[in-house]
Amino acid sequence: GDFVEDEAAFLSPWDRGFRFGDGVYETLRVHRGVVIRRAEHLRRMGEGLAILALDVDPDRAFPAVDLDRLVAAAGLRTGEGRMRLFVTRGVDRGTARPPRAPCPTLLAHVEPLPANAPPSDARPLALAVVEAAFPRPAAWSGLKSLNHLPYVLAAAKAAQTGADEAL
């Protein structure tokens, strides 16, 4: 419930999101002080939390009034920005096995986008087709987990070929 500057934010090294990628996130656009498609993003976050069997209601975890206060505190009432919402299973000094009674970590972060940034990059992009680093079960399709290692490795392979993006 506290607003802090980036430099003052603290994440325990025992947080399962940091240690195991055990959590989910959503990225939302902020346009002139309005969080775009909040309900849709929170619904998808709820679906991801259900896959993780993590009992958190995103609407209660990230109330609209608090997100609006965060946007205002960041000075984005008239500008453009990006908001990221994170839920992890919380701090746990145990093994990879999830704790029976987790205490989730909730984090909302907002940042301004550069002034006069175009809505998308207009230049043509080079695309590299790369072999997936890790297969993902079909049940995870659409899951926005904190573990993006397959995407990081694919992007690195694409960059090695001089491409902008990986498919």
Side-chain angles (χ1 to χ4, degrees), residues 69-94:
R69 286 179 45 223
L70 181 59
V71 167
L76 290 176
R77 287 197 187 275
T78 59
E80 301 292 318
R82 174 176 34 236
M83 176 179 287
R84 289 197 174 96
L85 306 177
F86 300 89
V87 178
T88 77
R89 207 174 300 267
V91 174
D92 173 29
R93 294 177 183 256

Side-chain angles (χ1 to χ4, degrees), residues 14-36:
W14 293 102
D15 190 278
R16 292 181 60 87
F18 181 72
R19 292 176 64 213
F20 301 115
D22 187 6
V24 296
Y25 78 99
E26 284 291 325
T27 303
L28 302 85
R29 181 72 182 253
V30 177
H31 175 69
R32 296 183 183 169
V34 177
V35 178
I36 305 298

Side-chain angles (χ1 to χ4, degrees), residues 5 9-10 13-14 17 19 27 39 41 47-48 56-57 59 66 73 82 93 98 105 108 112 116 130 139 144 157:
E5 295 295 324
F10 171 79
W14 293 102
R19 292 176 64 213
T27 303
H41 282 280
E47 292 166 1
V56 174
D57 176 357
D59 285 307
D66 288 348
R82 174 176 34 236
R93 294 177 183 256
T105 297
N116 301 319
V130 300
K144 295 189 75 172
K157 283 183 182 180

Side-chain angles (χ1 to χ4, degrees), residues 109-133:
H109 178 261
V110 67
E111 63 183 324
L113 293 177
N116 301 319
S120 63
D121 193 336
R123 69 184 171 89
L125 299 177
L127 180 67
V129 178
V130 300
E131 189 170 330

